Amino acid sequence: MPAIIFGEEYLDQIDKKWGKKNVTYITYSIAIIKLQLKANNFIKARARAEGIFQLLKEISDRELIYAYFLNNIGDAFREVGDYWKAKECLEESASLILKFQGEDSSEYATSLFNLASCYMSIGYFDKVSQFYQQSLKITEKKSGKNTLKYARILNNLAAFYERDGQLNKVEPLIREALAIYRNKLGESNSFFGQDSVSYATTVSFLGGYYFDVEQYDKAIEIYLQAHELMKKVADVKHPAYIGLLNHLGMTYTKKKQFAKADSLYRRALVSIRNNIGEENSNYAAYLNNLAEVNHFQKKYDAADSLFQLALQIKKRIAGNKGHSYAISLNNMGSLYTSMKRYQAADSLFKEAMQIDEMTVGKDHPGYTVSLHNYSQLQVLRQNWTLADSLLKLNLAAQLKESKLFSQFLSEYENTQAQKPFSQLFNYLATFYTQHLNRFSHAPSLLLNTALYLKGNLLQNVDLLRHRVTASGDTSLLRVFGEWQTQKRALAQLIQNPDPARLATRTELTERVEQLEKQLTRQSQSFRLLEEAQQIQWMDVQKRLKPHQAAIEFVRYALYKGLRQTDSVYYVAFVIRPGYLQPKLITLCDAKQLDAIFRPIGSSRRPVGQLYASRGSILIGGAKTAYGRRLYQLLWAPLEQHLTGVEEIYYSPDGGLHQLAFAALPLPDGRLLSDKYRLYQRFSTRTLVQEQPGTVPQPNWNTVVYGGSIFKADSAAWSMGVHQTTTTIDNRLAINSLPINLTRSNSLAYLPGTLAEASAIHRLFQNRQISSQLLTEWRANEESFKLFERSSAPQVLHVATHGFFSPARLRQKDAVTGNLYQTAENPLLRSGLLLAGAERVWMGGRPITGLEDGILTAYEVAQLNLDRTELVVLSACETGLGDVMDSEGVYGLQRAFKLAGARRLVMSLWKVPDQETSEFMIEFYRSWIQGIPVEKAFLQAQEMMRNRHRADPIKWAGFVLVE
């Protein structure tokens, strides 16, 4: 650059005339350093900075201008990655500026910012937040919030919270900084200069946030956006650009796209080597990441060499201290664990934890990672007692992190972020079930963890809704209302996948997630969440009477060494009054159940189809051998712990959600429900949260659906919609479905549903309980979507067709199937069919201005059924859905719970029309007479069992879940 050449010539003249120890020489030297940094001449900039640094040491007069010189030189060292020299300069500079200009000066704010940034880079976390917060406060006072300087401080404060593991504070700061940048610099992003680099860097920090919460696809999307911005405003030699390559490489590593990660790391390393030099903290960090890629590809020797080199550079620069050094120690320990060099790995993990404990503290995620790896190493070394101690510490640390995620992430983000914790549970279950005789506390530890995990995400959403609606905070309720409205709009876009509106859908998805996270942060529901998440097995035990027991079924993926396998096992925990520990009983391998649930041969039907015909395993004749086999696998091992028990609260897991426990045959010819009164729960922890058994009240409202006419007649349909929407409410939601549907069978009219609905309607009316009967065209989707908190009934009964398409059929029908077969979201592959549904179900076009009559579980989840005590789904297979880890069944069951319904009655298979009506009428008759809902359900089941004992398919398919 001509300016640099001219400046260097001028410096020579100053040196000859006055020497180097004068203000003019130093001032122009610093100006040249800044030009060299801007031109990416980092080696020359660093060398000149070294010279000025040595020169400043020789000057004894410590005036204010000296402090400015130190601050500039320190910032230059920081930019080229020489953090320890930067620390020395910036500490003295800040002290002098404070002395001469005071703590409220803009200059002091700048010096604090630079010093905090330096401390963050070397892992000195104690004062980083304090310095950034102080710098923010001064900057706001002097120049206001809407400034680029303020945005840069926000950006760096967010970066610190990310590194410190305080992820709940990160995203709001990044988005506030981005808003300032966009306001000051323009949405076009066509600007140039350092501020534009700062903007692109802030965008990349948002990608880093999504990386930390396990949303790797989203992280890559944002990193690539930052990459395009960076290419416009920065040279490929710029440290920010090189850093972005590294972050992309880290994300591709997580995605196991090792070739892409390897290429990005090597590009970053070459750029630093050529433009800054190898004696650089970032160069060492990128070597470490490249070593990780080699480790994962089992290129152990190459990985070892790279780790050694990275550690040597870090040690030369900063000594064997700092979080960055601990990261490399931990990663090398993992490598040596893979290489079975256990003694060496042991030493590395211990050293890493010691460093992190001293620098970032035990609560830091980095410490937890080392602790996790160290505990697994002790298992491999068969140091059982130490392994147990470390695993308990590891569990406590990851449980704390899991609860933190629940305080600021959306449900979808939480689904991704909680996966490591679920994997840890699988590891713990593998370890402790193999060492039950060694560790007496194992059953308690595993059960308490399972009680936390099972349905945790669903519970968080439920508590959030209750907290917001009960808060009385008008601003919070307004946000909640907007969230609900935007979710309904998004549901319409999802079910109408118009390519032309893809951008709108993307923006709306982002808006819905941001609103949900805003509600989570502001609702102050964290106290409620904390209380709910602390439920222990002994809390459940306290709710049991002497003749009662609770059984928590749990499945886990088996670990082999450090690898999670595809093998899944089921265990059961039995809780009874007086137990000092719950009983843990290993049951079976999931493959043993698959052999029963799925027919032999090439066709591998889903569990739901097992009960679809009289070929069901629970139907009489030779087939009952399968039922007895299920009993032997799942229940017989429990019997020795159930002596004297009459009532059992049980919670299924995995595929057991689709099993009718009541119909399991006993060896003596009876059924399980003959021996025990069985109450199904989503989790046995609901016993602690349980409210008194509900009976219908005179001031309740009931809405009953039945006798829907599925064939589409636009005039009659429109009239039915008009009647229901003017009766219930005057609002109308409109959406349509794509036309590429392939259903070939017409939807048969169900005459029994009309008789059933009419009889139930009369039962409520006879007890002077308000009831609305919606039949024929009035049993439409529009009426369903009008339920708001003020109009939702206490009892909602729906007698109609239900549908569910399993995930394995989704792949098969990916080309020819309709939306309800091929959608990725399982809530779109489950639902109810209402008036007029046949038109779109069979591939026709929807009628303009009307709903399509196909109410998906996704749409149900957007309703507000907070006041609804009971939902009865008298329809086919409404209890089915995809089973998702510890969250249970993703289908109508989850959808109605998300909407706020307290209890649900559903079916596991296609119960015949006549028997469905018999069951429902008997259930309601008992309930309306004042018998608590669970006991009324059991009475109806017993009546039907006695009437159709030889044919369980006619009565055992219905389940009541709280």
Side-chain angles (χ1 to χ4, degrees), residues 361-580:
K362 288 186 175 183
D363 289 337
H364 192 275
Y367 182 89
T368 303
V369 170
S370 295
L371 176 64
H372 176 79
N373 293 336
Y374 187 47
S375 63
Q376 290 187 322
L377 175 64
Q378 302 315 311
V379 174
L380 293 173
R381 300 187 75 185
Q382 299 184 11
N383 294 331
W384 306 127
T385 302
L386 179 57
D388 169 57
S389 176
L390 293 170
L391 286 171
K392 287 187 287 187
L393 291 173
N394 186 20
L395 174 61
Q398 294 207 33
L399 180 62
K400 184 176 181 179
E401 183 178 80
S402 173
K403 291 178 180 178
L404 177 65
F405 285 149
S406 298
Q407 296 180 8
F408 67 93
L409 294 179
S410 68
E411 182 194 7
Y412 174 76
E413 290 175 339
N414 230 334
T415 302
Q416 308 303 311
Q418 300 289 0
K419 286 182 179 179
F421 190 73
S422 295
Q423 292 168 355
L424 173 62
F425 176 76
N426 292 333
Y427 185 85
L428 294 173
T430 300
F431 174 76
Y432 283 114
T433 53
Q434 294 172 356
H435 296 277
L436 281 179
N437 294 332
R438 194 182 302 272
F439 303 113
S440 61
H441 60 270
S444 291
L445 181 145
L446 290 177
L447 180 52
N448 287 336
T449 308
L451 289 174
Y452 168 80
L453 266 177
K454 189 178 281 190
N456 182 46
L457 302 180
L458 176 60
Q459 176 180 252
N460 290 346
V461 175
D462 187 50
L463 288 172
L464 170 64
R465 183 184 59 255
H466 282 294
R467 180 65 173 175
V468 170
T469 54
S471 68
D473 186 320
T474 54
S475 62
L476 198 60
L477 289 168
R478 186 164 54 250
V479 175
F480 182 76
E482 183 183 358
W483 179 48
Q484 295 287 76
T485 299
Q486 299 289 4
K487 283 200 299 178
R488 286 191 286 270
L490 179 60
Q492 292 183 12
L493 286 177
I494 288 175
Q495 293 192 195
N496 182 22
D498 182 356
R501 303 189 67 187
L502 183 59
T504 302
R505 174 175 163 179
T506 302
E507 292 173 5
L508 195 54
T509 301
E510 177 72 15
R511 178 61 180 158
V512 166
E513 286 214 349
Q514 290 305 313
L515 286 169
E516 183 181 350
K517 288 189 281 190
Q518 182 181 347
L519 284 169
T520 304
R521 293 188 182 101
Q522 296 179 359
S523 68
Q524 310 223 341
S525 60
F526 309 144
R527 179 180 58 82
L528 289 175
L529 288 175
E530 191 71 16
E531 288 174 0
Q533 291 170 349
Q534 291 299 322
I535 291 175
Q536 307 281 292
W537 78 270
M538 294 185 74
D539 299 317
V540 176
Q541 183 187 48
K542 291 174 184 177
R543 297 302 181 99
L544 297 175
K545 297 176 182 178
H547 66 285
Q548 296 176 330
I551 301 175
E552 191 78 45
F553 290 97
V554 175
R555 69 170 187 165
Y556 68 92
L558 185 71
Y559 263 77
K560 186 175 182 180
L562 301 179
R563 182 178 63 86
Q564 182 173 297
T565 70
D566 293 331
S567 297
V568 175
Y569 281 83
Y570 284 92
V571 296
F573 296 89
V574 178
I575 307 172
R576 292 192 63 180
Y579 277 6
L580 298 179

Side-chain angles (χ1 to χ4, degrees), residues 724-946:
T724 51
T725 54
T726 53
T727 300
I728 299 177
D729 206 315
N730 60 5
R731 288 159 288 179
L732 179 64
I734 299 172
N735 78 314
S736 59
L737 287 171
I739 62 171
N740 59 331
L741 303 182
T742 60
R743 291 282 182 181
S744 59
N745 297 323
S746 62
L747 298 177
Y749 177 69
L750 300 174
T753 64
L754 178 58
E756 173 189 327
S758 300
I760 292 168
H761 172 63
R762 286 193 299 272
L763 284 172
F764 280 101
Q765 283 192 322
N766 291 338
R767 300 289 292 192
Q768 279 72 54
I769 296 174
S770 173
S771 179
Q772 183 175 12
L773 179 63
L774 299 178
T775 64
E776 300 181 336
W777 296 110
R778 299 175 72 238
N780 53 58
E781 186 178 357
E782 282 80 358
S783 63
F784 228 104
K785 290 187 174 179
L786 295 177
F787 293 141
E788 296 291 343
R789 191 167 194 268
S790 59
S791 60
Q794 278 78 17
V795 180
L796 177 60
H797 182 98
V798 187
T800 186
H801 282 297
F803 69 89
F804 163 62
S805 181
R808 64 175 64 88
L809 295 185
R810 172 179 171 247
Q811 302 299 324
K812 177 181 177 182
D813 296 332
V815 177
T816 61
N818 61 40
L819 175 71
Y820 311 111
Q821 295 170 310
T822 63
E824 179 178 0
N825 190 331
L827 297 186
L828 291 171
R829 290 184 271 109
S830 178
L832 300 168
L833 302 182
L834 298 169
E838 184 176 291
R839 182 186 182 94
V840 171
W841 188 254
M842 293 181 64
R845 293 179 179 275
I847 297 174
T848 303
L850 296 175
E851 295 280 358
D852 52 48
I854 304 171
L855 182 70
T856 65
Y858 188 92
E859 292 173 299
V860 169
Q862 317 315 322
L863 302 177
N864 192 336
L865 302 178
D866 250 4
R867 296 173 68 242
T868 304
E869 292 288 333
L870 177 68
V871 173
V872 178
L873 302 179
S874 181
C876 308
E877 301 178 330
T878 49
L880 301 185
D882 287 354
V883 177
M884 310 284 271
D885 294 329
S886 59
E887 284 299 305
V889 177
Y890 273 64
L892 283 167
Q893 176 183 159
R894 186 178 186 84
F896 275 100
K897 292 297 287 183
L898 284 170
R902 182 176 166 192
R903 290 184 175 92
L904 293 95
V905 173
M906 304 161 297
S907 67
L908 299 176
W909 59 75
K910 298 173 183 177
V911 180
D913 202 18
Q914 176 61 36
E915 283 72 24
T916 294
S917 296
E918 291 178 20
F919 183 96
M920 292 300 169
I921 292 170
E922 179 62 28
F923 162 65
Y924 278 111
R925 182 179 291 118
S926 297
W927 188 38
I928 290 173
Q929 289 174 355
I931 298 174
V933 62
E934 288 185 317
K935 295 188 182 300
F937 180 85
L938 287 186
Q939 282 190 10
Q941 189 179 72
E942 182 179 5
M943 182 272 291
M944 293 294 291
R945 183 171 70 245
N946 292 334

Side-chain angles (χ1 to χ4, degrees), residues 53-110:
F53 181 48
Q54 294 301 322
L55 186 63
L56 289 172
K57 285 183 176 181
E58 299 171 10
I59 298 176
S60 59
D61 189 7
R62 297 295 196 261
E63 297 294 335
L64 178 60
I65 195 169
Y66 179 85
Y68 292 157
F69 290 155
L70 280 175
N71 186 71
N72 281 283
I73 293 300
D75 199 35
F77 280 135
R78 184 177 63 83
E79 189 164 343
V80 299
D82 198 342
Y83 301 120
W84 293 94
K85 284 192 177 70
K87 173 179 176 293
E88 185 178 348
C89 293
L90 293 171
E91 284 178 339
E92 186 175 359
S93 172
S95 177
L96 289 170
I97 291 175
L98 176 62
K99 174 183 176 181
F100 288 114
Q101 292 197 294
E103 61 181 10
D104 289 333
S105 66
S106 297
E107 291 78 10
Y108 187 59
T110 300

